[in-house]
Amino acid sequence: MNALIVEDEDLSVRRLKKMIGEVAPSLDVAGVTDSIEQTVEWVHENRAAGKADPDLIFLDIELSDGQSFEIFNRIEVTSAIIFTTSYDEYALQAFKHNSIDYLLKPVHRDDLQRALQKYEKMKSQPVVDHSLAGIRKLLEDFKKASSVEYRQRFLVKQGQKMLSIEVGEIAYFFTDDRYSFFMTDSNQKMLVDYTLDELAESLDPARFFRINRGMMVTHRSVDKIDPYFGNRLALTLRPAHNKEVLVSREKVGDFKVWMGK
């Protein structure tokens, strides 16, 4: 059994590959693509070489060149699909496309294992209910499975005291000289003992967005957005940050979607 991963974030690819190796070591990752164009090209080349389509496709929805649903308009997809995304509003549309499951990022090991078990079960009983009632049932299952508990507070040290800071008081996270900090709405800078990768996994993606390798922001912290060369964006934050704040080029599309919610 083999799979194709369609994902434009390197960290998500690495995490997914690692979890697949842990929960389904017999599942071979045959390829990784990061855009609509590259995915369509990969499938064409795979077929031209006389190879069968992958059994499974792990499919992110928001890609660098658009929403991955466009792939279904460009080629016939026979593989089963496990959607992996930061957004829950596409669930109904996703279940129209050979969907086995719909996993919210950060994808958790138990959720992935359940999705793969569901795939194995559906292989032996390949009858999928695409009626409205069937889709509603899938959506209900999805909501139950995706009830992730995100971090609500941080315990930080201030002088000789320990303070418990609610996540709702935090304006943004950033790295400085290999250390991670957050800035509160009241302009307090606090050191946290976590990497930004670890923070991204534990915080609600509806509230925090990682604009580049070294910063995560909240909606309310973004005071101004300006275009910047290289198809990037420059942000003015509130409270003010002491360095230039840029949304990396590969994050611009997702950032615009997130800011519009």
Side-chain angles (χ1 to χ4, degrees):
M1 188 168 70
N2 59 25
L4 170 68
I5 295 176
V6 182
E7 170 62 65
D8 61 356
E9 293 185 352
D10 290 340
L11 176 61
S12 295
V13 172
R14 293 196 299 270
R15 289 190 73 251
L16 187 54
K17 279 185 170 181
K18 182 175 182 293
M19 283 190 289
I20 289 173
E22 292 171 351
V23 304
S26 63
L27 179 59
D28 176 51
V29 177
V32 177
T33 60
D34 62 8
S35 66
I36 296 167
E37 291 294 336
Q38 192 179 35
T39 303
V40 171
E41 182 179 348
W42 188 94
V43 172
H44 283 317
E45 290 179 353
N46 194 61
R47 291 172 178 173
K51 299 178 182 178
D53 287 350
D55 301 287
L56 270 171
I57 298 178
F58 294 92
L59 186 61
D60 189 13
I61 292 179
E62 293 289 351
L63 299 173
S64 57
D65 56 350
Q67 291 186 355
S68 61
F69 297 120
E70 175 62 22
I71 294 170
F72 300 100
N73 296 328
R74 303 271 293 274
I75 54 173
E76 181 184 2
V77 177
T78 60
S79 309
I81 309 293
I82 295 177
F83 286 92
T84 59
T85 179
S86 298
Y87 310 104
D88 61 7
E89 65 263 37
Y90 303 116
L92 184 59
Q93 188 175 355
F95 282 123
K96 298 177 182 178
H97 298 288
N98 304 349
S99 178
I100 299 298
D101 215 330
Y102 188 100
L103 306 181
L104 282 179
K105 294 179 182 177
V107 175
H108 291 267
R109 187 180 187 277
D110 290 345
D111 293 335
L112 176 63
Q113 190 166 32
R114 278 193 293 268
L116 292 173
Q117 288 171 346
K118 186 187 297 185
Y119 170 67
E120 292 292 341
K121 183 177 180 180
M122 292 179 72
K123 277 201 309 180
S124 61
Q125 300 174 341
V127 178
V128 181
D129 183 359
H130 288 294
S131 67
L132 182 58
I135 291 175
R136 282 175 176 164
K137 174 65 165 56
L138 285 170
L139 285 172
E140 289 171 3
D141 291 344
F142 153 69
K143 288 177 181 177
K144 291 176 183 176
S146 62
S147 55
V148 180
E149 290 189 10
Y150 295 109
R151 187 157 195 146
Q152 298 300 312
R153 60 190 58 81
F154 288 87
L155 188 65
V156 295
K157 188 174 182 180
Q158 187 182 54
Q160 300 301 314
K161 298 185 300 181
M162 300 296 289
L163 299 177
S164 179
I165 306 295
E166 298 287 333
V167 166
E169 300 176 48
I170 298 172
Y172 53 85
F173 290 86
F174 62 97
T175 58
D176 188 9
D177 193 24
R178 295 182 297 177
Y179 292 99
S180 298
F181 300 87
F182 65 74
M183 189 71 75
T184 67
D185 293 325
S186 58
N187 204 24
Q188 290 181 296
K189 180 181 176 182
M190 301 286 188
L191 174 69
V192 285
D193 192 23
Y194 299 94
T195 66
L196 229 62
D197 287 346
E198 291 170 333
L199 291 167
E201 291 183 10
S202 64
L203 293 167
D204 186 352
R207 300 176 68 176
F208 292 90
F209 187 90
R210 189 170 184 178
I211 60 171
N212 55 47
R213 291 179 61 86
M215 179 164 279
M216 294 175 63
V217 300
T218 59
H219 294 90
R220 68 183 183 282
S221 70
V222 180
D223 189 47
K224 187 180 177 185
I225 305 172
D226 292 302
Y228 196 86
F229 74 88
N231 295 320
R232 293 175 290 175
L233 297 173
L235 305 184
T236 302
L237 297 184
R238 183 176 56 239
H241 190 56
N242 60 2
K243 293 183 180 179
E244 191 173 49
V245 179
L246 300 178
V247 181
S248 60
R249 183 174 58 185
E250 63 272 16
K251 297 281 190 177
V252 166
D254 285 346
F255 175 74
K256 289 179 178 178
V257 172
W258 177 80
M259 279 297 296
K261 288 188 175 182

